Amino acid sequence: TRVGVLISGTGTNLQALMEQAKKPSSAAEIVVVISNRPGVLGLKRASMAGIQTRVVDHKLYGSRSEFDSTIDRVLEEFGVEVVCLAGFMRILTGTFVKKWNGKLLNIHPSLLPSFKGVNAQKQALQAGVRVAGCTVHFVAEEVDAGAIIVQEAVPVLMNDTEDSLSERIREAEHQAFPAALELVAGGAVRLAEDGRIIWNSMM
Ligand code: GRF
């Protein structure tokens, strides 16, 4: 399965996805990495792995829909079948999300539906939860609300700060995202028309 990865920054999730896709057993082949910001470390990671990169700078577009349709054109140019949002910090329009429904994955640093939105790790700390984690889900039009594919839990320690908890969650992300990509790329999991997750029990 041809995979496109959208990034905005350091790309540690991208790194984990690239390492997974390199395995001979993987059903995924990452064919393009697109960043909405130029010069970020994630672009260097992709280039070092020999993967084609493109920058679609959102500041150069008059509207969200023009930005999204440019992203879409690049994905089509590379024959992408599944898209991973790996630390991609833009909200995509409904038109884009509808077109890629069931093919668009995102990672969020909380156990959804808890702690949607920004600073999820900080929200968890402030809520005093003893267990936190990350969620890989299909992207739906409502932000952070799509069908859940994989979750991974981590403990919250008594002396945790936002940074120490975020670091522990990010380690979990690097396990969860590759696992979720493999499930979708390999056909073990898909999204039903009504938005439910379907596990292909024959796998
Ligand atoms: C991660 O914390 C992820 O949960 C959030 O953005 C961050 C991406 O980090 N969506 P990286 O760019 O993959 O290192």
Side-chain angles (χ1 to χ4, degrees), residues 6 8 26 36 59 64 74-75 96 99 105 113 123 132 146-147 171 182 196 203:
L6 274 51
S8 297
S26 175
N36 68 299
K59 293 196 290 296
R64 225 174 251 286
V74 173
L75 293 170
F96 184 95
K99 170 176 176 178
L105 283 64
Q123 291 182 54
E171 289 309 309
E182 220 44 69
R196 279 179 313 105
M203 299 303 275

Side-chain angles (χ1 to χ4, degrees), residues 185-197:
V189 159
R190 61 187 175 83
L191 190 64
E193 279 310 306
D194 63 1
R196 279 179 313 105
I197 284 273

Side-chain angles (χ1 to χ4, degrees), residues 29-123:
E29 180 194 2
I30 299 175
V31 295
V32 65
V33 170
I34 304 172
S35 175
N36 68 299
R37 291 174 53 220
V40 293
L41 179 54
L43 289 169
K44 288 184 188 58
R45 293 176 188 272
S47 302
M48 286 197 299
I51 296 174
Q52 293 254 36
T53 63
R54 291 288 188 279
V55 173
V56 179
D57 185 341
H58 61 282
K59 293 196 290 296
L60 305 181
Y61 294 85
S63 71
R64 225 174 251 286
S65 57
E66 280 169 291
F67 170 73
D68 285 9
S69 60
T70 305
I71 297 267
D72 183 61
R73 219 175 9 259
V74 173
L75 293 170
E76 294 293 356
E77 176 194 332
F78 283 87
V80 166
E81 299 164 284
V82 169
V83 182
C84 292
L85 305 182
F88 186 65
M89 292 308 178
R90 303 285 302 166
I91 303 290
L92 293 158
T93 58
T95 310
F96 184 95
V97 170
K98 276 196 201 85
K99 170 176 176 178
W100 291 93
N101 190 40
K103 302 290 178 199
L104 184 57
L105 283 64
N106 183 49
I107 185 142
H108 181 76
S110 79
L111 296 174
L112 291 173
S114 298
F115 312 133
K116 296 180 180 179
V118 295
N119 300 330
Q121 302 93 333
K122 187 175 184 179
Q123 291 182 54

